[in-house]
Amino acid sequence: MIAQSNTLDIRTVDVVKYITPLREGGSLPAIVEASDGFLYVLKFRGAGQGKKALIAEFIGGEIARAIGLKVPELVFMNLDDSFSKTEPDEEIQDLLKFSIGLNLGLHYLSSSITFDPLVSVADDLTSSKIVLLDSIISNIDRTVKNTNLLNWNNELWVIDNGASFYFHHHWDTWQNHLTRTFPLIKDHVLLERADLLEEAAQEITKTLQKDTIKNIVDSIPEDWLLNESDTLTPSGMRAAYMEYLHSRLLKIESLVKEANDAR
């Protein structure tokens, strides 16, 4: 009997209204309304890093959720060709045109505030978990310059993991990353507050099991894994993501030491 793989219960909705672009960074995400009546921050497949940024956003967000961090609900979002035809801004028009199909949305946290390392609250255990999360997913973009964290309802929320797993932009050399740690953790915005890295590591290894990782990776839409320039098949990419994440968990003590040394 062949065991059936499980996937996450990720909802799929349709974009029904383009509201406004968010002009932070170069990818031009936008606030949109969906067919379920809620607002989302839409991440476009036609933006700079393409579908790989959506994959990184998805895996990173669901791993963060699995280890007990606050993450806005992630949904798959269908975008049709009607929006590009009525958009007057040529840059946005092109983005919409190249993003027809399945994109990724994050539930919009109305009235949230961008995390400010000088004044915002973040407890030690949450900070430690986020530092180790970013070591695990190789996220180069959670710095003082660009925190990619929100304060909402007096809680810290993790957003914008699209710069993670940067090895997947060069599949020919991805295995070279299996033995590496993550020295760039020295630039992490929460590093100074990460006083409980050992405790965070224990919680992560208890909750982030192989089946959990497999369910997340198996939930990546097949369409996102299809690129003419890639040398791996979709199944090969899924296997690579899983092997990479397993390698990070096996060396989590080294990641803790690296972060402590950097502090």
Side-chain angles (χ1 to χ4, degrees), residues 181 248 250-261:
T181 53
R248 311 302 280 174
L250 288 173
K251 62 167 67 72
I252 197 163
E253 290 183 2
S254 297
L255 298 179
V256 168
K257 182 180 185 303
E258 182 174 62
N260 272 326
D261 291 348

Side-chain angles (χ1 to χ4, degrees), residues 108-137:
Y108 179 59
L109 304 181
S110 179
S111 302
S112 61
I113 301 170
T114 299
F115 177 80
D116 184 337
L118 297 179
V119 298
S120 298
V121 175
D123 68 83
D124 291 351
L125 183 57
T126 298
S127 299
S128 300
K129 278 188 175 183
I130 294 174
V131 166
L132 286 181
L133 164 73
D134 290 329
S135 288
I136 290 169
I137 66 175

Side-chain angles (χ1 to χ4, degrees), residues 6 10-11 13 28 37 50 81 84 90 98 101 112 118 130 143 152 154-155 166 169 205 246:
N6 296 315
I10 305 296
R11 296 187 301 115
V13 297
L28 284 181
D81 62 353
S84 63
E90 288 189 7
F98 293 131
S112 61
L118 297 179
I130 294 174
T143 64
W152 190 63
N154 297 315
E155 293 176 316
Y166 51 84
H169 295 287
T205 52
H246 293 158

Side-chain angles (χ1 to χ4, degrees), residues 66-161:
I67 64 176
L69 295 170
K70 296 286 186 182
V71 183
E73 181 190 7
L74 298 176
V75 300
F76 300 136
M77 305 197 78
N78 282 314
L79 181 72
D80 65 34
D81 62 353
S82 62
F83 298 94
S84 63
K85 295 176 180 178
T86 58
E87 172 57 48
D89 186 303
E90 288 189 7
E91 182 182 14
I92 297 174
Q93 184 183 110
D94 287 342
L95 180 61
L96 293 167
K97 190 183 302 180
F98 293 131
S99 299
I100 294 170
L102 203 63
N103 297 271
L104 185 68
L106 291 78
H107 194 91
Y108 179 59
L109 304 181
S110 179
S111 302
S112 61
I113 301 170
T114 299
F115 177 80
D116 184 337
L118 297 179
V119 298
S120 298
V121 175
D123 68 83
D124 291 351
L125 183 57
T126 298
S127 299
S128 300
K129 278 188 175 183
I130 294 174
V131 166
L132 286 181
L133 164 73
D134 290 329
S135 288
I136 290 169
I137 66 175
S138 56
N139 182 15
I140 61 176
D141 199 18
R142 193 111 55 208
T143 64
V144 173
K145 183 179 179 181
N146 194 22
T147 65
N148 287 322
L149 296 165
L150 296 176
N151 278 122
W152 190 63
N153 289 346
N154 297 315
E155 293 176 316
L156 192 62
W157 290 71
V158 175
I159 60 168
D160 291 348
N161 302 293

Side-chain angles (χ1 to χ4, degrees), residues 184-203:
L184 291 174
I185 203 64
K186 65 182 176 60
D187 299 321
H188 200 285
V189 65
L190 293 176
L191 189 61
E192 290 185 3
R193 306 188 190 205
D195 292 332
L196 298 174
L197 289 165
E198 289 83 1
E199 183 179 340
Q202 290 178 1
E203 288 197 16

Side-chain angles (χ1 to χ4, degrees), residues 160-173:
D160 291 348
N161 302 293
S164 309
F165 303 104
Y166 51 84
F167 63 85
H168 65 182
H169 295 287
H170 304 282
W171 282 119
D172 289 341
T173 58

Side-chain angles (χ1 to χ4, degrees), residues 36-82:
D36 60 1
F38 291 108
L39 298 182
Y40 295 89
V41 175
L42 179 60
K43 301 298 183 77
F44 293 100
R45 62 189 290 153
Q49 298 299 329
K51 294 183 285 187
K52 285 184 169 59
L54 303 188
I55 293 171
E57 187 80 63
F58 179 74
I59 300 177
E62 291 303 332
I63 285 179
R65 196 187 319 280
I67 64 176
L69 295 170
K70 296 286 186 182
V71 183
E73 181 190 7
L74 298 176
V75 300
F76 300 136
M77 305 197 78
N78 282 314
L79 181 72
D80 65 34
D81 62 353
S82 62

